[in-house]
């Protein structure tokens, strides 16, 4: 007979999975959605499928090791303490999702487990120190790489890729036959299709990477305590994540795709490539990947770099060109900046968006604040609970 405590544990794990879907879909597919390369329902479907694939394959290894790496005594994971850890993970992630800010699932989960280990004098400080070090270094790398690309290489990349979204859908259904067949829109060119396919594939890679690490955040305590077997736990977590991607993830998709900075398709490809590369690297060396933070900081770095990039300005005086002068103008971060000055007698180009239009400091501050506050809530809450409540 299934115990009431196990049912509660499964429900709390599902609640965590629900919030994982809400918080991780934005960083994975926000750039693609912001560039109008894919719809929100399509992004949710792809996130669900590739998350589950990652969880079912590599993710089970993370589930097995998470409880033993951070905590020196696996015996602290009882069914009741596992429910407590999952509760703090779920509540903290829910707070972030309510504010429309995708919080780091790995940071929140590790913080909750660290609170449990610290309260029971069973925290492995060496492992914790290594994880925290990479959590600091990786976003800094992502920020500066994206900033340098946006400031110095973005115009060249944009001309090379030359991907501009055409009006209307990328594909249309040809219903002339017995079965509808998807065909490219008449206004869609090959380079556009290639760019769209690239940014979607990178999003799928990030979804897969999320599954390999984040499934453990939802089910590892229950599996480690022996309350649930591995395969049923992965199915439970995968279904819960899918529900989150189709519901609460809509807000984080908007935040990551449009509220922080405008993302043309070229920019979306840059952000996704930088973020996915860092996440794969961290996963390869066994560090829980906080790709939410990496993707967010990469978007900020690219937006900042584009808004302050140096360009060469040629003055036209009486038909003669003066030497180029390097300046930095935030308004020239837009993709449609004219490369050549207007000829004498022609009208001036239309008003170009300012740096504030491309890089929203208020939204950025809210994102950075919440992504630090949410894991802190989980860590402190778990420590105080497991330290002073006798029921645990």
């Amino acid at each position: 007979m299934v115990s009431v405590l196990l049912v509660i544990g499964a429900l709390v794990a599902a609640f965590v999975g629900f919030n994982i879907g809400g918080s991780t879909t934005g960083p994975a597919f926000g750039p693609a959605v912001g560039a109008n390369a894919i719809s929100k329902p399509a992004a949710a479907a792809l996130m669900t499928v590739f998350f589950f694939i990652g969880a079912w394959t590599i993710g089970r290894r993370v589930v097995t090791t998470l409880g033993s790496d951070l905590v020196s005594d696996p015996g602290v994971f009882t069914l009741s303490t596992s429910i407590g850890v999952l509760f703090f993970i779920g509540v903290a992630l829910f707070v972030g999702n309510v504010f429309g800010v995708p919080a780091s699932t790995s940071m929140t989960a590790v913080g909750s487990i660290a609170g449990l280990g610290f309260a029971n004098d069973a925290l492995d400080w060496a492992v914790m120190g290594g994880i925290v070090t990479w959590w600091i270094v990786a976003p800094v790398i992502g920020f500066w790489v994206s900033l340098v690309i946006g400031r110095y290489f973005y115009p060249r990349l944009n001309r090379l890729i030359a991907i501009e979204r055409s009006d209307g859908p990328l594909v249309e259904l040809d219903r002339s036959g017995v079965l509808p067949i998807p065909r490219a829109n008449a206004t869609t060119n090959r380079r556009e299709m290639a760019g769209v396919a690239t940014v979607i594939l990178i999003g799928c890679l990030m979804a897969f990477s999320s599954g390999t690490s984040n499934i453990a955040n939802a089910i590892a305590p229950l599996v480690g305590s022996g309350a649930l077997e591995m395969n049923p736990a992965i199915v439970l977590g995968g279904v819960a994540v899918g529900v989150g991607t189709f519901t609460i993830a809509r807000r984080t998709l908007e935040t990551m795709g449009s509220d922080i900075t405008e993302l043309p398709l070229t920019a979306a490809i840059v952000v996704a490539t930088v973020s996915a590369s860092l996440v794969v690297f961290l996963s390869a060396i066994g560090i829980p990947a906080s790709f939410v933070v990496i993707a967010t900081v990469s978007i900020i770095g690219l937006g900042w770099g584009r808004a302050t990039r140096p360009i060469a300005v040629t003055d036209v005086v009486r038909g003669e060109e003066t030497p180029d002068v390097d300046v930095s103008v935030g308004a020239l971060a837009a993709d449609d900046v004219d490369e050549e000055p207007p000829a004498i007698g022609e009208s001036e180009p239309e008003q170009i968006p300012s740096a504030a239009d491309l890089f929203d400091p208020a939204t950025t501050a809210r994102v950075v604040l919440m992504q630090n506050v949410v894991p802190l809530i989980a860590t402190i809450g778990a420590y105080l609970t497991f330290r002073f409540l006798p029921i645990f």
Side-chain angles (χ1 to χ4, degrees), residues 12-377:
V12 176
F15 179 67
V16 173
F18 170 79
N19 284 283
I20 289 175
S23 64
T24 58
T25 305
F29 288 98
V33 171
N36 293 323
I38 190 174
S39 66
K40 290 180 182 178
L46 289 175
M47 181 71 193
T48 302
V49 171
F50 282 91
F51 183 97
F52 183 80
I53 294 174
W56 189 264
T57 54
I58 303 175
R60 60 183 63 242
R61 302 176 185 175
V62 183
V63 173
T64 302
T65 60
L66 184 61
S68 60
D69 287 343
L70 265 181
V71 181
S72 58
D73 180 13
V76 300
F77 277 118
T78 64
L79 182 55
S80 59
T81 58
S82 299
I83 294 174
V85 168
L86 291 172
F87 172 79
F88 284 109
I89 296 173
V91 169
L93 292 177
F94 183 74
V95 170
N97 288 330
V98 166
F99 282 91
V101 178
S104 170
T105 309
S106 294
M107 291 177 66
T108 304
V110 171
S112 298
I113 296 174
L116 169 65
F118 187 47
N120 291 274
D121 297 323
L123 179 63
D124 191 325
W125 288 99
V127 174
M128 187 68 189
I131 292 174
V132 171
T133 298
W134 276 109
W135 281 352
I136 296 173
V137 171
V140 171
I141 294 174
F143 175 83
W144 282 107
V145 170
S146 299
L147 185 145
V148 169
I149 292 175
R151 184 173 174 84
Y152 297 107
F153 301 102
Y154 186 84
R156 188 178 306 170
L157 287 174
N158 191 57
R159 290 193 298 269
L160 178 64
I161 299 174
I163 300 172
E164 295 292 339
R165 285 288 287 113
S166 56
D167 295 333
L170 290 173
V171 295
E172 295 178 332
L173 291 179
D174 183 358
R175 303 180 183 276
S176 59
V178 179
L179 296 175
I181 302 175
R183 300 186 186 279
N185 192 315
T187 61
T188 304
N189 56 63
R190 291 184 178 180
R191 303 189 80 173
E192 181 183 357
M193 289 294 293
V196 168
T198 299
V199 74
I200 293 176
L201 286 175
I202 293 174
C204 293
L205 173 62
M206 294 183 71
F208 175 85
S209 300
S210 176
T212 62
S213 61
N214 286 328
I215 189 64
N217 302 329
I219 65 174
L222 292 180
V223 175
S225 66
L228 277 180
E229 295 293 331
M230 179 73 73
N231 290 346
I234 291 177
V235 172
L236 171 66
V239 171
V241 167
V243 175
T245 63
F246 279 96
T247 53
I248 199 170
R250 291 178 174 271
R251 293 199 63 185
T252 55
L253 280 170
E254 293 174 357
T255 299
M256 300 300 293
S258 59
D259 287 354
I260 296 180
T261 180
E262 294 180 356
L263 283 179
L265 201 52
T266 303
I269 292 175
V270 171
V271 169
T273 302
V274 172
S275 302
S277 299
L278 284 171
V279 168
V280 171
F281 170 74
L282 289 176
S283 299
I285 62 176
I287 300 296
S290 302
F291 83 93
V292 170
V293 175
I294 296 172
T296 302
V297 174
S298 296
I299 291 175
I300 294 171
L302 183 67
W304 194 345
R306 290 180 60 208
T308 59
R309 72 173 183 252
I311 66 165
V313 176
T314 302
D315 294 324
V316 179
V317 181
R318 299 179 181 177
E320 296 181 359
E321 297 182 354
T322 59
D324 291 346
V325 180
D326 288 334
V327 299
S328 178
V329 183
L332 297 176
D335 289 337
D336 56 353
V337 175
D338 292 340
E339 296 294 336
E340 298 293 335
I344 296 177
E346 294 183 358
S347 61
E348 294 292 327
E350 61 181 353
Q351 183 68 30
I352 300 171
S354 65
D357 295 328
L358 294 171
F359 182 71
D360 188 343
T363 302
T364 301
R366 176 170 60 92
V367 169
V368 173
L369 176 64
M370 290 302 299
Q371 287 188 344
N372 285 276
V373 168
V374 168
L376 190 62
I377 291 174

